[in-house]
């Protein structure tokens, strides 16, 4: 990965300077510490801060063809570059480096805008066609790599992160109230919206075409499914499992391509364990594994990690995350994420990438995407039970299935069920609604909006859910319920939060590149064609994946219940030492100044927490959401990044044990 | 102070973080409004036991008894009557 940035003068006035490009790269330094490169044309400038992974010696950017008619900067990787080079060579293209980015140049010359369909990778690309005076800005299909744009003073600015654009804007952008409203509903604003008014993102699977002073958005790829009644792939399950196995192996094989050593993240769950086993199969040498451990035993998965390490004989390092780490590092996480967050879970991910970097690694494979693509989340099960129940709302035994879903909730027998029933039965009558699966989650999350100030509430006339509904594909009505739920998960939480706030941004905080085999688009498209019952068989999640990779896993890992990844929230800030910035930003005057929240309500929340009376997940979500929004404001609107140096504590030391 | 008033004040203070009386109707379902989820009910029961000295048994913990200010108040009154 790297950081890219650039400028196009939309009116042909040639106002592009290298000094400006350098200023844009400055805040991206952490993404690309291995060198910088610039291209300056008549009305365009491209810049790149590089993290060298493939062809470290020859792969500098921007890169052009011999004639200098096409120039490219790319943040990311084209994994099938060797195959593409072979094809292009056969058609007479001549290459001057071994880099994957040079392939883009020739592919474009061969296919024009359709070049993107040939890429298997994760990327944000800026391509300048000198003769046509056309700029393409392209983002990968699922949205792994970020790309931001803004039009200011007759120029289009782009950059990997919003912070690359800030130095060239006349003033700091204000917070977009609709984006905050969406974040407090779906955990992230919906692309192209960002928290910054006037700064947009290129959406996943989208290409921006900038030509003749105009800017056109074009979707080149969609998440799509067959209609509920098919046609699906109709091979026998055993055959499909084998096909999935082959695809996964190939996705891993492609992602092991690098001129530097590649490691892997291991949570101890099914997906990362399977991934580690597949890497072990494909790569020679010592398998290098990195994990997060929590001081809080309720969150820690160390036992499962160790089981898998013993099974594989890998070399393992883990970083221990405590409450004070969370509290100390939240400000830096907000700086990197450029977004408020409702959970602290991104913070440990930054500690993990720090560990990777310290151990001398800069590329890791990671298991994100398996739950979305192959049907793993509890919310899918929950929706299935609710759907089943909605057909016979009077049934006494159908809702009993709800108890199977949340075995870890502290509930007594019959009474707990009565509550689950009431809670999940709320929207039963809306079973035809395209967002049926997600309504309970969104309603619960949206309760945090009670804290919004009157001014902010007044600015929000449109319901976040209705705005989302308007953009849903028409075909969705024909999809099976599981596929609708998958679609919502894949287009809201995955790109907006998991791959960015908790993904790319926390990896790039320490210049570590994450690679996501489960998000190989061939695998996504294969899985979309599977009949739903092979993803979720009754209430057995990721059924076909288990069939495909079960052979590599010890029984305890394959059959374990699914534990959601969580990290300490309220206790991290209030059970021990509370960092100064926390009280300063939650102070009524500070809350009033930024203007997003009601100071009185925030005060009451803090009082409740201080008295030790906050238990529910909702209070935690509200606290983190408010605090991180305040941090965002202080950092990006006031221009005063909060420096809260992580405390040096004994908990966060890494442990490293050589494996078998 | 009547039980209903205390209960309403408690819920406004702790779940809606306001003293605006109009923010909650006595008959509104706490679950449907998203005010209390299935774990949040533990906090409410803790409050009832402490504040009113009633004992909430397992079989009492159903939405019929606890899902609105009016229901909770009636439940507390019934409990006190038999205590």
């Amino acid at each position: 990965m790297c950081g890219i940035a650039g400028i196009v003068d939309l009116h042909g006035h040639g106002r592009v300077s290298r000094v400006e490009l350098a200023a844009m790269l400055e805040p991206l330094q952490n993404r690309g510490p291995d060198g910088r490169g610039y291209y300056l044309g008549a009305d365009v400038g491209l810049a790149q801060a590089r993290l060298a992974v493939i062809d470290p010696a020859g792969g500098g950017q921007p890169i052009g063809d011999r004639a200098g008619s096409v120039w490219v900067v790319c943040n990311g990787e084209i994994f099938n570059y060797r195959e593409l080079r072979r094809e292009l060579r056969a058609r007479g293209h001549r290459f001057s480096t071994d880099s994957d980015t040079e392939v883009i140049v020739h592919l474009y010359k061969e296919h024009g805008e359709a070049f993107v369909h040939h890429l298997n990778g994760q990327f944000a690309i800026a391509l300048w066609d000198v003769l046509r005076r056309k700029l393409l800005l392209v983002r990968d299909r699922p949205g792994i790599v970020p790309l931001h744009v803004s039009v200011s003073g007759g120029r289009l600015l782009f950059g990997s992160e919003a912070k690359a654009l800030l130095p060239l804007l006349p003033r700091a952008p204000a917070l977009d109230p609709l984006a905050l409203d969406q974040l407090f509903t779906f955990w992230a604003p919906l692309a192209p919206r960002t928290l910054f008014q006037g700064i947009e993102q290129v959406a996943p699977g989208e290409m921006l075409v900038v030509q003749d002073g105009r800017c056109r958005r074009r979707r080149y790829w969609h998440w799509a499914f067959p209609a509920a009644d098919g046609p699906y792939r109709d091979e026998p399950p055993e055959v499909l499992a084998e096909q999935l196995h082959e695809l996964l192996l190939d996705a891993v094989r492609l992602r092991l391509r690098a001129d530097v050593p590649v490691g892997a993240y291991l949570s101890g769950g099914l997906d990362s364990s399977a991934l580690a086993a597949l890497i072990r199969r494909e790569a020679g040498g010592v398998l290098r594994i990195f994990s997060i451990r929590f001081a809080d035993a309720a969150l820690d998965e160390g036992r499962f990690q160790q089981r898998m390490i013993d099974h594989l004989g890998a070399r393992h390092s883990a970083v221990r995350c405590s409450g004070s780490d969370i509290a100390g590092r939240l400000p830096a996480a907000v700086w990197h994420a450029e977004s408020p967050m409702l959970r602290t879970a991104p913070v440990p991910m930054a500690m993990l990438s720090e560990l990777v970097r310290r151990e001398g690694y800069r590329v890791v494979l990671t298991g994100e995407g398996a739950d979305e693509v192959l049907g793993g989340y509890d919310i899918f099960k929950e929706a299935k039970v609710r759907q089943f129940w909605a057909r016979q709302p009077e049934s006494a035994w159908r809702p009993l299935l709800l108890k199977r879903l949340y075995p870890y909730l502290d509930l007594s027998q019959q009474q707990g069920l009565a509550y689950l029933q009431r809670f999940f039965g709320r929207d039963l009558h809306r079973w035809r609604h395209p967002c049926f699966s997600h309504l309970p989650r969104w309603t619960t999350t949206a309760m945090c909006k009670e804290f919004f100030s009157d001014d902010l509430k007044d600015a929000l006339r449109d319901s976040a859910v209705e705005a989302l509904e308007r953009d849903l594909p028409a075909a969705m009505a024909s999809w099976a319920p599981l596929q609708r739920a998958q679609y919502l998960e894949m287009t809201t939480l995955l790109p907006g939060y998991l791959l960015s706030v908790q993904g790319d941004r926390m990896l790039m905080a320490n210049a570590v590149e994450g690679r996501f085999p489960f998000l190989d688009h061939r695998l996504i498209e294969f899985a979309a064609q599977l009949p739903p019952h092979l993803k979720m068989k009754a209430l057995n999640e990721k059924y076909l994946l288990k069939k495909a990779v079960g052979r590599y896993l010890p029984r305890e890992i394959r059959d374990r219940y699914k534990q959601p990844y969580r990290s300490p929230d309220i206790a991290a800030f209030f059970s021990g030492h509370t960092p100064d910035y926390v009280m300063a930003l939650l102070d009524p005057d500070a809350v009033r100044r930024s203007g997003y929240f009601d100071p009185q309500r925030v005060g009451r929340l803090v009082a409740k927490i201080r008295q030790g009376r906050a238990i529910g997940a909702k209070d935690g979500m509200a606290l983190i959401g408010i605090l991180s929004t305040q941090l965002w404001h202080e950092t990006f609107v006031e221009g005063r990044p909060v420096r809260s140096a992580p405390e040096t504590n004994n908990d966060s030391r890494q442990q490293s044990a050589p494996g078998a | 102070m009547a039980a209903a008033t205390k209960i309403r004040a408690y819920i406004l203070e702790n779940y809606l973080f306001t003293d605006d009386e109009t923010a909650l109707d006595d008959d509104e379902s706490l679950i449907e409004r998203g005010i209390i989820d299935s774990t949040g009910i533990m906090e409410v029961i803790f409050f009832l036991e402490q504040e009113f000295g009633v004992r909430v048994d397992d079989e009492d913990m159903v939405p019929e008894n606890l899902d609105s200010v009016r229901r909770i108040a009636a439940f507390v009154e019934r409990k006190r009557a038999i205590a």
Side-chain angles (χ1 to χ4, degrees), chain A residues 162 166 169 171-184 189 193-199 334 338-341 452-453 455-457 459-460 591 593-597 625-639:
Chain A
L166 300 179
L169 297 178
R171 66 188 71 82
L175 176 140
D176 177 346
L178 284 182
L180 193 69
D181 190 50
Q182 292 175 348
L183 194 147
F184 274 68
R193 208 173 274 282
T194 74
L195 259 290
F196 300 89
Q197 250 174 47
I199 298 183
V334 171
E338 303 182 321
S339 168
M341 42 192 83
F452 282 176
S453 65
D455 287 350
L456 185 60
K457 283 179 183 160
L460 300 171
V591 173
R593 266 200 308 277
S594 56
Y596 313 129
F597 302 104
I626 294 165
L627 183 58
S628 59
T629 305
Q630 289 288 94
L631 276 167
W632 184 93
H633 178 85
E634 199 68 9
T635 306
F636 295 106
V637 178
E638 302 295 339

Side-chain angles (χ1 to χ4, degrees), chain A residues 375-425:
Chain A
Y377 281 125
D378 282 345
I379 197 169
F380 300 151
K381 291 190 201 176
E382 183 189 296
K384 189 164 181 176
V385 172
R386 288 168 54 238
Q387 199 84 36
F388 177 62
W389 176 18
R391 287 201 235 159
Q392 298 284 341
E394 303 311 318
S395 162
W397 67 268
R398 288 187 184 222
L400 285 172
L401 288 166
L402 286 168
K403 281 177 53 156
R404 296 252 313 262
L405 298 186
Y406 299 103
Y408 49 85
L409 284 188
D410 286 332
L411 291 169
S412 61
Q413 296 305 308
Q414 202 51 39
Q415 297 68 38
L417 178 67
Y419 267 91
L420 282 177
Q421 256 188 63
R422 189 66 181 253
F423 182 75
F424 290 112

